[in-house]
Amino acid sequence: MKLIGTPASPFVRKTRIAFLEKKIDVAFEVEDVWNPESTLPTLNPLCKVPTLVMDDGGVMFDSRVIVEYADTLSPVGHLIPSSGKEKAAVKTWEALCDGVLDAAVLARMERNWGPRGQNRSEDWINRQLDKINGGLKSIAEGLGQNTWCYGNQFSLADIAVGSVCGYLLFRFPEIRWQEEYPHLASFYEKLSKRPSFKETPHPV
Ligand SMILES: N[C@@H](CCC(=O)N[C@@H](CS)C(=O)NCC(=O)O)C(=O)O
């Protein structure tokens, strides 16, 4: 299996952490999705990462599908409850975190896309920043003073939250969420000590 992605993408990081936690070997192939010569559209018409290529040539995306698939591949450390409200609750954590990341990526694109000074919409950026801040508040409230985001063991919810924290530190260091949410900050510090997080840093 081959996971196509970039170390800068939080969605890619989420899937890499999941594979590492599940102790599943997957080759990592770095792809620049912004390069007009990229051949990724021949595999994924959306030209987005992560994209997973299976040994039989089958292709899978997006990160939510890949993570759910990864969880079925080994009995090690279940990341997603098998059914019902428990499964929906963990997937809702993931949806919340992915939503924050979507907003962060959109805000960054709006700031940086194309030549300097070209058609920036502050309203659009602020709309996305509101989603980031609202999402962070909701994440911090959901975590409360608990050890894990959902239930009493590590799950996909924790990977998703860790992916948000790591990406915001990487691309939005000006958002001072650690001061506002100290338990979330120490939670991320704890996650960062896991080999799966250590092995998948965003670039410096
Ligand atoms: N919902 C997707 C989002 C993936 C995504 O937005 N990836 C970004 C990199 S962070 C990308 O490939 N962007 C390229 C593009 O939008 O053309 C997932 O969860 O995998």
Side-chain angles (χ1 to χ4, degrees):
M1 267 190 318
K2 183 173 76 176
L3 184 71
I4 302 174
T6 152
S9 164
F11 301 101
V12 171
R13 188 179 192 210
K14 182 179 68 171
T15 56
R16 293 179 75 200
I17 291 170
F19 278 118
L20 285 164
E21 291 287 344
K22 297 291 296 181
K23 312 233 178 295
I24 296 162
D25 271 340
V26 54
F28 183 48
E29 187 177 292
V30 176
E31 178 76 21
D32 176 4
V33 286
W34 307 113
N35 181 347
E37 315 270 287
S38 169
T39 54
L40 184 58
T42 62
L43 295 170
N44 177 349
L46 306 176
C47 192
K48 287 193 179 199
V49 289
T51 295
L52 183 73
V53 183
M54 287 171 286
D55 292 337
D56 66 2
V59 175
M60 194 182 286
F61 47 86
D62 60 1
S63 66
R64 293 186 213 184
V65 176
I66 295 171
V67 166
E68 192 159 347
Y69 175 62
D71 202 28
T72 66
L73 294 180
S74 92
V76 178
H78 276 299
L79 298 176
I80 307 171
S82 53
S83 64
K85 275 191 188 157
E86 291 79 12
K87 177 174 180 178
V90 168
K91 298 290 286 182
T92 302
W93 270 102
E94 185 183 28
L96 172 64
C97 294
D98 280 9
V100 172
L101 292 174
D102 282 332
V105 169
L106 285 172
R108 203 179 120 74
M109 289 293 123
E110 188 65 19
R111 272 184 188 155
N112 298 340
W113 184 264
R116 292 270 141 227
Q118 179 190 299
N119 291 333
R120 310 282 178 228
S121 166
E122 282 306 315
D123 282 352
W124 178 255
I125 293 171
N126 287 336
R127 186 176 168 86
Q128 304 313 320
L129 291 174
D130 284 348
K131 291 179 200 292
I132 296 171
N133 289 322
L136 272 171
K137 184 167 186 284
S138 182
I139 287 169
E141 282 171 4
L143 175 62
Q145 295 302 310
N146 297 326
T147 309
W148 303 112
C149 292
Y150 182 79
N152 53 13
Q153 63 186 44
F154 180 82
S155 76
L156 173 60
D158 306 300
I159 298 179
V161 168
S163 302
V164 167
C165 296
Y167 188 71
L168 292 180
L169 289 172
F170 172 45
R171 293 295 199 200
F172 292 82
E174 71 279 11
I175 301 180
R176 310 298 306 166
W177 58 270
Q178 301 102 304
E179 284 146 33
E180 198 162 352
Y181 307 118
H183 183 64
L184 180 59
S186 49
F187 178 67
Y188 183 63
E189 249 175 62
K190 178 179 74 176
L191 290 179
S192 300
K193 296 194 175 108
R194 295 177 84 86
S196 60
F197 279 73
K198 277 199 201 156
E199 283 177 42
T200 57
H202 288 305
V204 267

